[in-house]
Amino acid sequence: MARSYVREARRRVGPKRERVGPIIERLAAEHADAAIALRFRSDLELLVSVMLSAQTTDVNVNRVTQELFRKYRCPEDYLAVPQEELERDIYRTGFFRQKAKALRGTMTLLLEEYDGRVPSRLEELVRLPGVARKTANVVAAELGDPQGIVVDTHVRRLSQRLGLTRQDDPVKIERDLQRLVPRADWGRFPHLLIWHGRRVCIARTPRCAECVVNDLCPSSRI
Ligand code: SF4
């Protein structure tokens, strides 16, 4: 019964290849301000902010980095203080021990292999300690060279609800999205889903009646 309802809903909205273009266009018009919420002024600040944002909110990270970036201006600064001091300085982002360790490991590698600069290739970024694929994807996209599609909790939920993937694993979802989303949109696509997920397609109670893509969504409740 439930399965036939899902099949019927999928038939009603049509193939995902035909829906993805209009979905992107409408969400882009609706969330013209969709962009990364982290605040940074350099590639290094971007990398550090994204690393600190694991398991916490962007608002919280911005609060911490406002002070942090006054004190730590280059990779050497993160290595010039005892680890405990760095832990104290990032304490409020949570998981401060692992994050401090990852930051110091990353700064060491940046200095040893990249002349202190942040690389933009995904395969180089994922070599940095504490930088997983999602972090690397966010950094590469913000550096203007997206090589994958960021899949966070919002992107995962919305891709599933919109019938763009049937997968649950972020790596497989990303693969599905890469086949579907035009390359030129890889950078902005996650931002659009993230902002739509925060404002409209909320986890517990999606506001389908107010949603600009409800006629293209097999999970619409209206
Ligand atoms: S129609 Fe509902 S479930 Fe589908 S994307 Fe919009 S808010 Fe989410």
Side-chain angles (χ1 to χ4, degrees), residues 26-174:
R26 288 194 216 168
L27 292 183
E30 180 77 358
H31 307 290
D33 56 344
I36 192 164
L38 294 169
R39 286 200 215 109
F40 53 88
R41 288 159 306 176
S42 66
D43 297 356
L44 186 68
E45 290 187 1
L46 162 67
L47 176 64
V48 172
S49 297
V50 182
M51 288 175 75
L52 292 178
S53 70
Q55 313 289 335
T56 188
T57 63
D58 292 351
V59 174
N60 195 29
V61 172
N62 289 339
R63 242 182 251 139
V64 170
T65 55
Q66 208 177 0
E67 288 291 316
L68 190 78
F69 292 154
R70 270 190 218 131
K71 180 168 167 185
Y72 301 85
R73 292 169 184 268
C74 59
E76 289 90 341
D77 292 343
Y78 291 84
L79 301 169
V81 297
Q83 170 137 339
E84 299 71 40
E85 187 173 334
L86 180 58
E87 286 176 4
R88 265 200 308 281
D89 290 337
I90 61 166
Y91 174 77
R92 282 179 296 153
T93 67
F95 299 93
F96 56 92
R97 284 211 179 91
Q98 292 103 298
K99 287 179 182 175
K101 199 164 159 240
L103 282 176
R104 287 166 66 88
T106 284
M107 298 308 157
T108 304
L109 200 66
L110 289 185
L111 287 167
E112 279 172 2
E113 297 198 16
Y114 300 102
D115 218 7
R117 282 193 293 269
V118 178
S120 66
R121 298 303 304 165
L122 215 54
E123 60 273 18
E124 293 174 312
L125 285 164
V126 292
R127 286 188 58 227
L128 303 171
V131 175
R133 185 171 174 93
K134 189 181 126 204
T135 304
N137 261 333
V138 175
V139 172
E142 291 309 311
L143 292 176
D145 186 15
Q147 296 141 59
I149 296 179
V150 176
V151 177
D152 75 344
T153 177
H154 296 289
V155 175
R156 176 164 167 249
R157 184 177 74 255
L158 269 76
S159 302
Q160 291 169 339
R161 284 183 176 169
L162 285 163
L164 304 180
T165 182
R166 293 186 194 190
Q167 300 294 341
D168 208 36
D169 171 56
V171 174
K172 291 182 183 163
I173 293 175
E174 184 182 354

Side-chain angles (χ1 to χ4, degrees), residues 161-162 196 200-201 206-208 211 213-214 217 219-221:
R161 284 183 176 169
L162 285 163
H196 198 59
V200 183
C201 191
R207 300 183 179 137
C208 300
C211 176
V213 291
N214 58 16
C217 176
S219 310
S220 173
R221 297 183 183 183

